[in-house]
Amino acid sequence: MEKAMVRMLWNLGCESYKFVSPNCRGVPDRLFITEEGKVFFAELKTIKGRLSSLQENQIKKLKALKQEVYVIYGMEGVRKFVEDFQNNRLSGTEYR
């Protein structure tokens, strides 16, 4: 699922980095940078996955810093997100 999302967004001109922060647990899985210089974070979950309290807190901190953070559930969520991204119509912060 994560590889598929990275590949789909790469085909649309995005660079992706696996976001690992050893001293700061709960950060989103991926950092994406578009050709236009836009940056956003994505946390990928299985269809039944849940955010941990650490993840919820990190997402709140990033949003307070005016960063875009998306939580994407399952392959269907990935497809919907990529479609909305491609069509410049991202809405909300969760995709299922």
Side-chain angles (χ1 to χ4, degrees):
M1 178 173 67
E2 189 171 340
K3 275 186 175 182
M5 181 174 173
V6 168
R7 186 175 51 254
M8 286 186 248
L9 289 174
W10 183 82
N11 287 334
L12 296 174
C14 286
E15 279 296 320
S16 173
Y17 298 93
K18 181 76 172 169
F19 193 35
V20 179
S21 183
N23 295 326
C24 191
R25 294 173 48 200
V27 295
D29 295 320
R30 286 279 171 179
L31 171 70
F32 291 93
I33 304 171
T34 70
E35 291 176 327
E36 296 81 24
K38 182 178 176 179
V39 175
F40 63 91
F41 298 87
E43 175 65 35
L44 287 97
K45 294 289 185 190
T46 64
I47 197 73
K48 294 181 182 180
R50 298 177 66 213
L51 293 174
S52 70
S53 58
L54 278 173
Q55 289 172 320
E56 288 175 351
N57 287 334
Q58 291 295 352
I59 289 170
K60 283 179 189 173
K61 285 179 185 180
L62 289 168
K63 287 182 179 180
L65 294 168
K66 306 216 183 316
Q67 298 303 301
E68 291 183 38
V69 183
Y70 300 94
V71 181
I72 302 165
Y73 295 88
M75 219 31 233
E76 185 60 29
V78 167
R79 284 188 201 98
K80 288 178 184 175
F81 178 85
V82 172
E83 181 182 325
D84 283 359
F85 175 83
Q86 186 174 18
N87 294 311
N88 281 326
R89 60 173 195 226
L90 291 174
S91 61
T93 57
E94 276 194 6
Y95 280 82
R96 294 183 185 264

